[in-house]
Amino acid sequence: MAGAHLVIGIQRIACLYFILVTGTSAGSGGGPRLTVTPPTQVVFSSGSGVVVGCMAEGSPPPTITWVTREGHALAAQSPYLDILSNGSLVLPPFPPDRYRADIHAATVRCRASNSVGVVVSPPVTLHAVVWQDFSVRAEGARAVVGGSALLHCLVPSHLAAHVTPTAWETPTHTIYPSLSAEGRYQMVGSTGDLLVTSVTREDAFTSFNCRVRDQLGGRELSLSPPPKSSSWFRDLIYKSFSYNCLINGYGQNCITV
């Protein structure tokens, strides 16, 4: 029994020693350690800007700076960026004419340093998507009365990856993505296309607007047809289809204006 008590006593002493050692080590701090590491890629809209977080701890408390790929420090305050007291990098919204590739398409790192040492984050690639006003374009194939027409909501190529069609609007309907048709209309969710079945002559004079969501800024925009045309669907039918109707003999079932 005495041997058992001795073993237990030694275990308690060892446990107490472990607690004291680890507690002293944690309290003494030392070299900086990143507690919030920035992501390796940051994509943001010029209309919304972005805040890239980076935080560190150590003893003494570390100083956080942001550096370029070459190791040059970014200015803590400028019209194009700011560094907050907690170490976060702020890139405010900016108009298209103030785009700077050395800032808005740069590779940077978060750097934390104190008298004990230095720690640097992995590279962070910044990519600002410059948001500009745009209008919907439509593409389709030949449409005939009683047939079907497929309309595409097209946006500029540099925005396509960041804009998602969410609905189509007519003066009387709002059509959302669905696996089944809503009357004569169906919005195909995977592409954002609008399928119009049982086409009528009235469709040529109906305004079809595409609604999209800006994934970066979180905005929803309703894209109206160009003001020079009362119905871009009518223009589409006229410009794209009437030649086939007249020359290739589709006859009276073709929609013409």
Side-chain angles (χ1 to χ4, degrees):
M1 291 296 292
H5 286 297
L6 178 61
V7 171
I8 294 174
I10 293 174
Q11 289 177 339
R12 287 177 177 173
I13 293 173
C15 181
L16 178 60
Y17 176 78
F18 176 77
I19 293 174
L20 290 174
V21 168
T22 55
T24 302
S25 176
S28 63
R33 181 178 67 89
L34 293 180
T35 56
V36 174
T37 303
T40 57
Q41 186 171 26
V42 177
V43 182
F44 63 100
S45 168
S46 62
S48 61
V50 71
V51 177
V52 186
C54 182
M55 299 178 68
E57 64 180 12
S59 181
T63 298
I64 293 180
T65 57
W66 286 81
V67 297
T68 65
R69 186 198 301 267
E70 296 77 19
H72 305 304
L74 297 177
Q77 291 183 335
S78 80
Y80 299 95
L81 60 87
D82 192 10
I83 300 176
L84 303 182
S85 58
N86 65 2
S88 296
L89 175 66
V90 180
L91 284 86
F94 63 92
D97 61 356
R98 291 182 66 84
Y99 175 84
R100 282 183 49 175
D102 61 329
I103 293 177
H104 300 119
T107 298
V108 298
R109 292 174 182 260
C110 174
R111 181 181 186 273
S113 62
N114 62 10
S115 58
V116 180
V118 177
V119 63
V120 182
S121 75
V124 180
T125 302
L126 304 174
H127 177 61
V129 178
V130 179
W131 187 270
Q132 295 176 310
D133 292 337
F134 62 93
S135 59
V136 67
R137 290 195 300 115
E139 289 183 352
R142 181 178 57 86
V144 297
V145 172
S148 299
L150 188 64
L151 307 180
H152 308 291
C153 182
L154 301 181
V155 299
S157 58
H158 74 282
L159 294 176
H162 312 291
V163 174
T164 302
T166 58
W168 285 81
E169 299 170 329
T170 73
T172 58
H173 293 81
T174 299
I175 305 101
Y176 296 98
S178 175
L179 296 177
S180 58
E182 301 177 26
R184 296 190 302 115
Y185 306 121
Q186 181 179 358
M187 182 177 178
V188 182
S190 59
T191 62
D193 296 341
L194 178 66
L195 176 64
V196 182
T197 59
S198 302
V199 171
T200 68
R201 294 185 183 276
E202 288 71 22
D203 287 329
F205 299 92
T206 300
S207 175
F208 290 82
N209 298 336
C210 178
R211 186 192 301 170
V212 301
R213 180 175 181 82
D214 169 15
Q215 297 176 350
L216 298 176
R219 301 176 299 172
E220 275 213 356
L221 307 172
S222 182
L223 305 181
S224 302
K228 65 182 181 180
S229 170
S230 60
S231 170
W232 58 261
F233 191 15
R234 185 188 71 176
D235 283 357
L236 174 68
I237 293 168
Y238 178 75
K239 294 176 181 177
S240 300
F241 311 143
S242 60
Y243 179 85
N244 289 332
C245 294
L246 296 176
I247 302 301
N248 297 330
Y250 292 112
Q252 62 181 1
N253 286 335
C254 289
I255 297 179
T256 59
V257 293

